[in-house]
Amino acid sequence: MVRAPVDPQGLEAALRPHGESVMLPQEAYTDPAVLAWERRHFFADKWTCLGRVDELADGTTYRAARVGDVAVVLTFADGAARAFANVCRHRGHELLQPGQTGDRQAVVCPYHGWSYNLDGVVKAAPRMGETFDPSGYGLVELPAEVWCGWLFVNALGGAGPFSEHLGGMADLVAPYRPESLTLKARHSYTVAANWKTIAENYHECYHCPLIHPELCKVSPPTSGDNWDLPGAWVGGTMDLRPDAETMSLDGRSRGIPLPGVNPRTVAYVGLFPNLLVSLHPDYVMTHRMEPLEPGLTAIECSWYFPAEVTDPSYAVEFWDITNREDWAACESVQRGAESPHFRPGPLAPAEDAVYQWVTMLARGYLGKPLS
Ligand code: FES
Ligand code: FE
């Protein structure tokens, strides 16, 4: 695998033991060449989350999507989600344009009209001659997995098994049964910060006393522990204060407790590269990130509740305020990272999950296994 265009000595410094290490080199946050490398190797060649399969499939049989720098066609037939390269097997025209969806039983190439069934097999190849056998020209299929309701695609096929990617995270998330929950609210943010900065900020509460008065009212910022289990993810728990039922402005829940989950903690897990999952006693919130530029990231924040819950506003209000506090901090960190005087700084003991995340990235940049 090709190494990232990131200073190897800087990566060595990031990989020193926690307490001696520093953050990633400046170019990791600012250089378009690094983002191009990440799109290819961290997104297209790993398991990237494209969203919830029920939302992607809703009202469609196929849709265009992107996994890092690779354009894909997703198809939905008989309850199965599949992913294919968005490249016609005739002369390579794109089958779908960005954002395009359809509800027919075949995907038709707009160039010479070859059509493909939803399983990628050629349905018709007009006027190719009587002796032409289309059976060897099906669409290139890409590994896809649905887990807890989310669709993941490995567009270059080089990632290991999805179960190894998840590792110990699978058992931590399973009790919340996210696949049984319903989307009740969504906010889309565009944040002027690198996508990794947003994850780094997510993985520590060292900043909470300074910028999150609402959060500190319901959850002690020094509470909880981080996990160190197999898999390409980082995360930990935080406690709720004794008088708080969930993360909301007054600590009250107006939802329904999720059965079989710890009612006293909130778990924050980040699955490499782009899905942050926040597990509450009564709802699940996700942040799905898509890098747009080195200093610009689209974030889709979603709140999932049991179907019977009609008013998610207690959770949305709390997290929208907290999100905006975080985005302001991340945007300031980005401006700092772009300064000629920026130097990678050290990590506090409480930033152990940031350390785990940064070392995972540094190993990936060097072409080594993430975990
Ligand atoms: Fe698609 Fe010719 S390139 S039909
Ligand atoms: Fe925060």
Side-chain angles (χ1 to χ4, degrees):
M1 173 171 155
V2 199
R3 285 183 175 200
V6 179
D7 171 33
Q9 283 184 345
L11 295 177
E12 247 172 63
L15 285 166
R16 291 197 294 249
H18 186 204
E20 297 166 33
S21 78
V22 293
M23 287 298 291
L24 295 169
Q26 181 176 37
E27 60 269 24
Y29 303 98
T30 59
D31 186 348
V34 175
L35 180 58
W37 185 96
E38 290 173 342
R39 280 205 176 101
R40 167 60 51 106
H41 298 281
F42 278 174
F43 285 77
D45 204 21
K46 296 283 188 284
W47 290 103
T48 290
C49 180
L50 295 187
R52 291 266 293 205
V53 70
D54 55 346
E55 294 169 33
L56 291 163
D58 190 31
T60 74
T61 51
Y62 58 81
R63 70 166 56 235
R66 280 195 85 79
V67 186
D69 62 350
V70 177
V72 302
V73 174
L74 305 177
T75 69
F76 310 98
D78 309 321
R82 298 171 78 154
F84 301 93
N86 185 16
V87 181
C88 180
R89 291 297 306 278
H90 174 222
R91 277 180 38 223
H93 197 284
E94 295 155 297
L95 298 164
L96 302 178
Q97 295 307 302
Q100 191 179 345
T101 62
D103 58 5
R104 292 160 56 186
Q105 291 307 307
V107 181
V108 183
C109 178
Y111 198 11
H112 313 94
W114 281 35
S115 58
Y116 300 87
N117 294 325
L118 299 178
D119 61 3
V121 170
V122 177
K123 183 178 182 203
R127 294 185 283 128
M128 284 295 289
E130 299 217 332
T131 56
F132 176 68
D133 174 11
S135 61
Y137 296 99
L139 296 179
V140 174
E141 185 156 13
L142 313 171
E145 293 274 352
V146 175
W147 170 71
C148 283
W150 291 291
L151 176 66
F152 298 83
V153 174
N154 170 211
L156 293 180
F162 184 69
S163 59
E164 282 177 21
H165 184 71
L166 277 181
M169 180 172 162
D171 291 341
L172 300 173
V173 177
Y176 292 83
R177 302 190 58 237
E179 69 280 7
S180 72
L181 304 177
T182 308
L183 177 72
K184 295 286 179 174
R186 166 161 299 150
H187 284 195
S188 297
Y189 305 94
T190 305
V191 180
N194 187 269
W195 66 279
K196 302 183 295 297
T197 301
I198 291 159
E200 281 145 22
N201 173 77
Y202 179 81
H203 285 306
E204 51 95 356
C205 216
Y206 186 30
H207 68 262
C208 293
L210 283 93
I211 72 166
H212 293 317
E214 303 81 8
L215 184 147
C216 293
K217 247 179 81 183
V218 287
S219 185
T222 55
S223 67
D225 261 318
N226 292 315
W227 287 293
D228 191 4
L229 294 169
W233 60 279
V234 168
T237 58
M238 282 179 61
D239 301 334
L240 291 163
R241 291 198 188 275
D243 53 346
E245 296 166 346
T246 192
M247 301 299 271
S248 65
L249 290 173
D250 62 2
R252 300 274 79 80
S253 169
R254 285 158 194 87
I256 300 168
L258 302 176
V261 311
N262 187 331
R264 303 305 317 147
T265 66
V266 181
Y268 300 93
V269 278
L271 180 60
F272 186 93
N274 70 327
L275 183 66
L276 310 175
V277 185
S278 306
L279 303 156
H280 300 70
D282 53 342
Y283 63 93
V284 170
M285 175 179 70
T286 59
H287 293 91
R288 195 170 61 83
M289 300 184 289
E290 197 180 326
L292 303 174
E293 295 171 18
L296 197 65
T297 304
I299 303 176
E300 178 194 81
C301 185
S302 312
W303 287 264
Y304 298 94
F305 288 76
E308 311 87 274
V309 174
T310 52
D311 184 7
S313 61
Y314 70 98
V316 176
E317 213 184 355
F318 173 87
W319 277 115
D320 184 51
I321 290 170
T322 307
N323 280 338
R324 289 174 194 278
E325 292 164 349
D326 280 322
W327 307 157
C330 291
E331 292 184 343
S332 184
V333 167
Q334 182 69 28
R335 290 190 293 272
E338 285 165 10
S339 163
H341 298 295
F342 173 86
R343 301 284 182 278
L347 293 170
E351 295 175 291
D352 55 324
V354 180
Y355 176 75
Q356 285 182 38
W357 165 254
V358 163
T359 51
M360 184 158 72
L361 294 162
R363 284 191 294 271
Y365 285 148
L366 292 167
K368 297 178 179 171
L370 297 174
S371 57

